[in-house]
């Protein structure tokens, strides 16, 4: 256990150093990039350990699993980000339990989240997910749909449209990684030129965070590099 804690602490320091180094290299303020710990398949104990090391923001993909952890970790008051695909019959618990949703890709979902966001909570922070590589299998709005969708989502009263999110096609090639993120940066600045005040680019994962930071990422979503290889969903994690 002590060993595990040490290696988790070491992984966290490595990730923070990668972020700092990329910011330095690309002339960005180190405070302009936020680390989101992607905690799908991780146990509440693992989240507690990394929270003790200073991590305050968690990203979850699967609603049921997330709700259990949200309940178990209430005393820590972390910020919870929903980053997985959203079925329209699951919007209410998302609207009620999360601070951010990164994976909104159609108006119907946005409307439901706005209607179902409780009045006693601040507006729900929203990123629109873009299928930036145009992969058939991936969710996300197209760049062509983006302007109209953004204008509509921006009018919904219980949401606060913050920016864009993408999961580009996997590649090891740095320049190819950067190209996809560049499209995201350009899309965000077009929306801002259109009068929307957006401040968030949620992009960059364990294998491409440097390319994302080079192109203006403000939230990097990191799983494997922080927690190690993912647990199988159908196996009981070892304690
Ligand atoms: C799993 C996941 C991540 C983290 O990926 P790693 O490669 O493990 O860092 C980031 N974003 C989304 C949407 C994910 O599903």
């Amino acid at each position: 256990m002590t060993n595990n804690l040490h290696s988790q602490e070491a992984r966290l320091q490595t990730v923070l150093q990668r972020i700092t180094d990329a910011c330095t290299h690309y002339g960005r303020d180190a405070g302009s990039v936020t680390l989101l710990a992607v905690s799908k398949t991780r146990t509440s104990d693992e989240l507690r350990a990394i929270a003790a090391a200073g991590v305050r923001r968690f990203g979850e993909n699967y609603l049921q699993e997330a709700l259990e952890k949200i309940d178990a970790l209430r005393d820590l008051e972390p910020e919870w980000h929903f980053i997985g695909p959203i079925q329209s019959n699951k919007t209410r618990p998302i609207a009620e339990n999360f601070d951010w949703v990164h994976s909104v890709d159609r108006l119907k979902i946005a409307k439901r989240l706005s209607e179902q966001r409780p009045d006693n909570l601040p507006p729900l922070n929203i990123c629109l997910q873009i299928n930036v590589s145009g992969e058939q299998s991936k969710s996300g709005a197209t760049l062509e749909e983006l302007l109209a969708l953004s204008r509509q989502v921006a009018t919904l009263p219980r949401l606060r449209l913050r920016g864009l999110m993408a999961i580009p096609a996997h590649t090891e090639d740095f320049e190819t990684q950067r190209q996809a993120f560049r499209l995201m940066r350009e899309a965000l600045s077009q929306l801002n030129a259109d009068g929307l005040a957006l401040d968030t680019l949620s992009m960059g994962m364990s294998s491409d965070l440097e390319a994302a930071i080079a192109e203006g990422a403000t939230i990097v979503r990191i799983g494997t590099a922080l927690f190690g290889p993912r647990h199988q969903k159908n196996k009981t994690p070892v304690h």
Side-chain angles (χ1 to χ4, degrees):
M1 193 65 196
T2 315
N3 229 341
N4 279 338
L5 278 181
H6 281 309
S7 55
Q8 181 163 76
E9 176 68 26
R11 281 191 296 258
L12 173 60
Q13 291 313 322
T14 303
V15 167
L16 294 175
Q17 192 64 49
R18 281 177 65 190
I19 294 172
T20 309
D21 289 349
C23 285
T24 307
H25 193 249
Y26 296 104
R28 300 205 34 206
D29 182 346
S32 66
V33 179
T34 297
L35 171 63
L36 180 65
V38 174
S39 46
K40 60 173 175 249
T41 79
R42 315 299 172 172
T43 64
S44 297
D45 286 346
E46 287 176 283
L47 272 62
R48 225 171 245 292
I50 201 164
V55 171
R56 279 282 165 271
R57 297 176 179 86
F58 294 112
E60 289 281 341
N61 296 60
Y62 309 109
L63 182 60
Q64 201 49 48
E65 180 193 328
L67 292 176
E68 286 165 24
K69 287 181 243 182
I70 290 172
D71 207 41
L73 300 177
R74 279 205 199 277
D75 56 307
L76 299 178
E77 301 184 359
E79 197 174 272
W80 291 103
H81 295 234
F82 194 80
I83 63 174
I86 306 172
Q87 294 164 267
S88 58
N89 62 345
K90 299 285 175 58
T91 50
R92 185 177 297 280
I94 295 175
E96 289 175 349
N97 288 282
F98 286 82
D99 303 293
W100 284 71
V101 181
H102 294 226
S103 42
V104 173
D105 62 359
R106 54 198 196 278
L107 185 61
K108 179 184 176 190
I109 296 292
K111 280 184 170 162
R112 292 177 66 93
L113 290 171
S114 180
E115 283 160 12
Q116 294 167 344
R117 180 68 167 172
D119 285 334
N120 63 322
L121 295 178
L124 184 58
N125 294 293
I126 298 291
C127 291
L128 299 177
Q129 182 173 350
I130 307 304
N131 186 354
V132 71
S133 308
E135 292 172 283
Q136 296 250 304
S137 58
K138 289 264 175 76
S139 35
T142 65
L143 283 167
E144 290 70 35
E145 295 166 330
L146 178 59
L147 182 59
L149 179 62
S150 307
R151 285 175 177 159
Q152 290 169 311
V153 172
T155 67
L156 297 173
R158 300 294 294 138
L159 304 185
R160 182 167 169 215
L161 181 60
R162 298 295 296 268
L164 306 178
M165 179 274 230
I167 313 169
H170 179 79
T171 167
E172 299 291 328
D173 181 64
F174 184 78
E175 281 310 319
T176 312
Q177 291 174 354
R178 236 184 121 153
Q179 269 168 27
F181 294 134
R182 187 173 306 132
L183 290 176
M184 295 291 289
R185 177 167 58 75
E186 290 167 357
L188 189 83
S189 55
Q190 275 175 21
L191 296 178
N192 279 331
D194 190 59
L196 297 167
L198 307 184
D199 61 9
T200 302
L201 280 175
S202 166
M203 58 190 199
M205 316 202 305
S206 293
S207 60
D208 58 11
L209 74 87
E210 285 82 3
I213 289 174
E215 294 296 341
T218 62
I219 299 180
V220 290
R221 308 181 311 268
I222 310 298
T224 320
L226 276 181
F227 293 103
R230 266 191 279 287
H231 305 309
Q232 298 287 305
K233 271 216 84 177
N234 54 354
K235 283 188 196 151
T236 310
V238 182
H239 285 281

